[in-house]
Amino acid sequence: MNFKKQTLLICLVLLSVFITSCSLGQTSNAATSTAIIPTASSKAKFTPLPTLTPTLTPSPTITFSPTPSPTPVPAIGDVLRSDNWEATILEVVYRKNISIAGTVYTPKPGYIGFDVIMKVNNLNFASTPSTSVENDVVIDAQGIAQLATCWGAHDVAKSQGKDLLELTFVGCQTGNIYTMKIENESYIRFHFTIEDTNLGKTLFFKFEDLPAVPFIINRSEP
């Protein structure tokens, strides 16, 4: 009887283990099965691109207008003309010094002197008999108008054979004569004194209402 009881107990234990293992196997399979069930995913939503309607932008109309030719810059030796005057700048010459009534004058340090010699015809003597030296200036490299130091006008017919660089002056800044009567064709001599920083640079001489004429001064004796 004891042997049968033992055998029965062993069978009961084995049966219990088998049932338990089957239950665990079912649970494990269920868990595994649940893990691999796919979840429903939402469909991707694509926003449709807008319909592009090509638009043609008209090309701008290009209008070609003739560019006026620039006015030629006058030069020394050119004949300049306005309603009142006709003039030619004959030469612009560096002067180490000048002589006035037998006295020699030399520019102070930092300055240079030069003469402007021109020939002038007065075309409107009735209205403009004279030229004012305030209207006959040199424009320096800084764009500043410089008045002449001395000036003088001489009838061309009476000046034949004379050195134009030695024509006598009729007025200077220290005097009280600031106009020159131009009745006939005349030579005019202007003497200017300006800072030597203007050496080698483009300067301009302007007479009355005529165009300004460019020139360059170099330190050399005539």
Side-chain angles (χ1 to χ4, degrees):
M1 291 296 292
N2 291 334
F3 175 76
K4 290 181 178 180
K5 290 180 178 180
Q6 290 178 353
T7 300
L8 181 60
L9 289 173
I10 291 171
C11 290
L12 291 173
V13 170
L14 291 175
L15 181 61
S16 176
V17 171
F18 176 76
I19 295 172
T20 302
S21 64
C22 289
S23 299
L24 291 174
Q26 291 178 351
T27 303
S28 176
N29 289 338
T32 303
S33 177
T34 302
I36 63 174
I37 294 175
T39 56
S41 59
S42 59
K43 294 182 179 180
K45 296 181 180 179
F46 295 96
T47 303
L49 294 175
T51 301
L52 300 178
T53 303
T55 56
L56 298 178
T57 302
S59 300
T61 302
I62 300 175
T63 303
F64 293 95
S65 57
T67 301
S69 301
T71 303
V73 177
I76 293 174
D78 290 349
V79 178
L80 311 176
R81 188 182 178 92
S82 68
D83 291 339
N84 298 315
W85 302 96
E86 181 182 79
T88 302
I89 299 176
L90 302 177
E91 55 184 334
V92 179
V93 183
Y94 167 81
R95 305 303 302 272
K96 183 178 180 179
N97 50 54
I98 58 173
S99 176
I100 301 176
T103 301
V104 175
Y105 293 88
T106 301
K108 64 182 180 180
Y111 287 79
I112 57 170
F114 60 91
D115 284 354
V116 175
I117 306 296
M118 63 187 308
K119 184 165 64 174
V120 178
N121 278 315
N122 191 341
L123 304 179
N124 194 6
F125 182 78
S127 299
T128 312
S130 302
T131 177
S132 170
V133 296
E134 294 181 352
N135 298 327
D136 310 326
V137 299
V138 162
I139 301 168
D140 66 16
Q142 289 72 45
I144 301 173
Q146 305 283 350
L147 293 177
T149 306
C150 295
W151 48 87
H154 299 268
D155 188 284
V156 168
K158 296 178 181 179
S159 301
Q160 297 300 319
K162 293 183 179 181
D163 184 353
L164 300 182
L165 292 174
E166 298 301 329
L167 294 176
T168 57
F169 295 120
V170 297
C172 292
Q173 288 188 14
T174 55
N176 57 5
I177 299 175
Y178 289 92
T179 60
M180 289 179 287
K181 187 176 181 179
I182 309 296
E183 185 175 4
N184 303 312
E185 185 179 42
S186 301
Y187 289 123
I188 301 181
R189 177 191 177 191
F190 294 97
H191 182 76
F192 290 89
T193 303
I194 62 174
E195 294 182 357
D196 59 10
T197 54
N198 290 281
L199 277 169
K201 298 180 181 179
T202 301
L203 312 178
F204 292 86
F205 174 75
K206 191 173 189 323
F207 179 84
E208 289 289 341
D209 58 351
L210 296 175
V213 177
F215 65 94
I216 295 176
I217 291 293
N218 293 307
R219 197 189 297 272
S220 61
E221 280 292 287

